[in-house]
Amino acid sequence: MSLIVQKYGGSSVADAESIKRVAKRIVEARRAGNDVVVAVSAMGDTTDELMDLANEVTPIQAPRELDMLLSSGERISMALLAMAIKSLGHDARSFTGSQAGMITDSVHGAARIVDVTPVRLREALDEGAVVIVAGFQGFSRESRDITTLGRGGSDTTAVALAAALDADVCEIYTDVDGVFTSDPRIVTKAHKLDRITSEEMLELAGSGAKVLHIRAVEYARRHGVTLHVRSSFNNSEGTIVYDPERLPEGGAVEESVIAGVAVDLGQVKITVVGVPDVPGAAAKIFKIVARTNANVDMIVQNVSAAATGRTDISFTVPKSDGEKALTALSDAQESLGFESLQYDDQIGKLSLVGAAMRSAAGISARLFEALYEAGINIEMISTSEIRISVVTRADSVNAAARAVHTAFDLDGDDDAVVYAGTGR
Ligand code: ASP
Ligand code: MG
């Protein structure tokens, strides 16, 4: 008998009909003789709607209460799903993250899993029940409060359950057929990958690809969990996210140079204008930014104008970190000695990812050529071993993604299908 962990995203359980459809799938897996543990997201756009509601009540929410509020979305879907399975004649039991033993630190809104103690889940499985767990949430022993894992965190719940229960498979069910070479909502010619290495998946997720939560990919990599990302709307094989080092003998596959193109519209650019070009200037600036916990991504320093001995330093941070970084720098203007600050929230980031970039030549030249031909200006560039990212204007980044996708021969024959969801 195998143990299967399945995760269903919000668009797969958006309404009563979808919940019944998903219940049938789960029952099929159970009838095939497997133990089944399900992590479920909140229905449709519930989490966003709860956020909207909180914002209507007050623009600044107490983090503890926000987690209480947001974690309720998953409690709705877990209970309804358990009811639906029971109505099909199978025992099912739902558990909150806390009941399931998802122990986290006490950082509200971005809690990390520190331990998983699935005692009650094991008991329920032993009694023959299908187990449904509310995704995206946990419990802190320190603060004794409910926490959430960050937006999209139900993937991480599923992976953590799979690792703790030593599951045979961890299936992530979503509204597309798997991991695509780009977001099918932006690049309609994107094609589904049969396999992708966890390293590439990590870079794509970190570059704005929304199909998997980055923390889930990290967790899976660390605990050796192989993921199968697939559609809940059909029975097609999806994408296997695997660690090549753990691949059994003879299982190696020829890697394609490029795994995908990701777009990120969630960053802002801050430019510190007229910084004295002396040793230690950058250190001072980024120390101040670091103290705000802002997550700096790309950095560019211009050549200083010889006449003034001053230079400009630009960097990007997630939109949610932008204001506080700006305020902290502004407060330190006198000691840093710069002239002014610029804040730009109209940027887009495009990233090209592929493990074989390590050994392939001419990738950046081809990327820049494609952008040039599409008439798109590059504002910043950064690279890692297996990724090249560029910043463009926000309103041209989607066109840039399509141009680059074509230039690297990634276009599929047919348009990609998106089965559900608002993409919110
Ligand atoms: N419901 C949460 C969100 O929308 C968690 C998840 O869907 O994974 O972010
Ligand atoms: Mg969701």
Side-chain angles (χ1 to χ4, degrees):
M1 189 163 192
S2 335
L3 174 68
I4 300 183
V5 171
Q6 300 187 330
K7 180 258 171 173
Y8 291 93
S11 53
S12 295
V13 291
D15 51 26
E17 271 323 300
S18 322
I19 289 177
K20 289 197 242 176
R21 188 177 53 81
V22 163
K24 275 198 205 122
R25 275 199 100 99
I26 296 169
V27 164
E28 273 165 32
R30 180 76 190 100
R31 290 223 174 105
N34 304 294
D35 274 338
V36 185
V37 174
V38 176
V40 69
S41 291
M43 296 170 68
D45 290 335
T46 300
T47 312
D48 289 292
E49 286 155 14
L50 291 171
M51 275 302 302
D52 292 347
L53 203 53
N55 282 322
E56 275 174 44
V57 171
T58 167
I60 299 162
Q61 301 99 17
R64 178 186 185 277
E65 304 310 327
L66 192 60
D67 275 358
M68 288 300 244
L69 178 72
L70 297 187
S71 61
S72 69
E74 270 71 10
R75 289 184 66 157
I76 297 172
S77 48
M78 74 173 191
L80 292 172
L81 191 53
M83 288 175 199
I85 295 170
K86 272 175 162 306
S87 80
L88 296 172
H90 273 269
D91 194 11
R93 227 165 289 166
S94 66
F95 296 92
T96 64
S98 164
Q99 289 175 316
M102 278 294 151
I103 310 298
T104 69
D105 61 18
S106 51
V107 181
H108 287 294
R112 291 201 163 256
I113 296 169
V114 294
D115 196 10
V116 184
T117 53
V119 183
R120 296 199 59 187
L121 308 191
R122 281 234 161 74
E123 280 169 11
L125 288 173
D126 289 346
E127 288 164 22
V130 170
V131 165
I132 315 289
V133 178
F136 167 64
Q137 56 184 274
F139 172 79
S140 160
R141 283 186 185 130
E142 247 164 65
S143 64
R144 293 178 296 162
D145 279 325
I146 302 295
T147 54
T148 63
L149 311 178
R151 298 303 310 271
S154 300
D155 291 343
T156 308
T157 302
V159 174
L161 288 172
L165 295 165
D166 197 17
D168 298 276
V169 195
C170 183
E171 298 177 329
I172 308 284
Y173 283 96
T174 180
D175 50 19
V176 289
D177 283 329
V179 178
F180 280 69
T181 47
S182 196
D183 184 342
R185 289 187 170 86
I186 299 170
V187 181
T188 48
K189 287 288 179 208
H191 75 269
K192 192 207 72 167
L193 297 162
D194 292 335
R195 289 162 166 263
I196 183 170
T197 66
S198 50
E199 182 190 34
E200 290 166 319
M201 194 61 240
L202 209 53
E203 287 274 6
L204 281 175
S207 305
K210 283 187 236 82
V211 65
L212 279 176
H213 194 221
I214 184 162
R215 300 256 301 272
V217 186
E218 278 167 6
Y219 204 102
R221 219 165 130 75
R222 221 173 318 120
H223 292 84
V225 176
T226 299
L227 303 176
H228 186 181
V229 183
R230 57 195 304 195
S231 166
S232 71
F233 296 81
N234 59 42
N235 282 314
S236 316
E237 285 289 305
T239 305
I240 304 289
V241 185
Y242 69 102
D243 182 348
E245 279 170 26
R246 292 181 201 255
L247 208 65
E249 218 34 55
V253 282
E254 179 75 29
E255 290 170 352
S256 60
V257 178
I258 300 301
V261 183
V263 165
D264 185 358
L265 282 164
Q267 305 242 341
V268 293
K269 181 169 84 174
I270 294 177
T271 303
V272 191
V273 181
V275 182
D277 196 5
V278 293
K284 277 194 216 148
I285 288 174
F286 288 103
K287 202 186 265 170
I288 283 165
V289 175
R291 268 196 229 120
T292 71
N293 276 325
N295 194 351
V296 176
D297 183 28
M298 296 167 88
I299 302 177
V300 169
Q301 174 173 338
N302 288 342
V303 185
S304 69
T308 61
R310 287 174 181 271
T311 180
D312 299 343
I313 296 181
S314 298
F315 60 93
T316 67
V317 291
K319 278 199 168 116
S320 52
D321 293 344
E323 297 275 348
K324 53 185 187 185
L326 193 71
T327 310
L329 285 172
S330 170
D331 290 347
Q333 178 162 10
E334 211 162 308
S335 69
L336 293 175
F338 60 82
E339 284 160 7
S340 62
L341 291 171
Q342 285 171 359
Y343 189 78
D344 183 355
D345 59 4
Q346 291 304 309
I347 60 162
K349 184 173 98 174
L350 174 152
S351 302
L352 188 67
V353 172
M357 260 186 210
R358 282 197 183 93
S359 50
I363 304 287
S364 25
R366 205 158 145 200
L367 170 66
F368 301 151
E369 185 73 24
L371 292 171
Y372 164 65
E373 276 166 12
I376 290 159
N377 188 38
I378 302 171
E379 301 181 16
M380 297 169 98
I381 302 168
S382 81
T383 62
S384 85
E385 265 195 314
I386 67 163
R387 175 184 52 80
I388 308 172
S389 301
V390 297
V391 165
T392 68
R393 286 293 87 204
D395 58 12
S396 54
V397 74
N398 287 352
R402 289 187 280 268
V404 171
H405 197 269
T406 304
F408 282 89
D409 299 325
L410 295 171
D411 290 356
D413 297 332
D414 306 310
D415 284 358
V417 184
V418 177
Y419 297 97
T422 59
R424 208 178 153 174

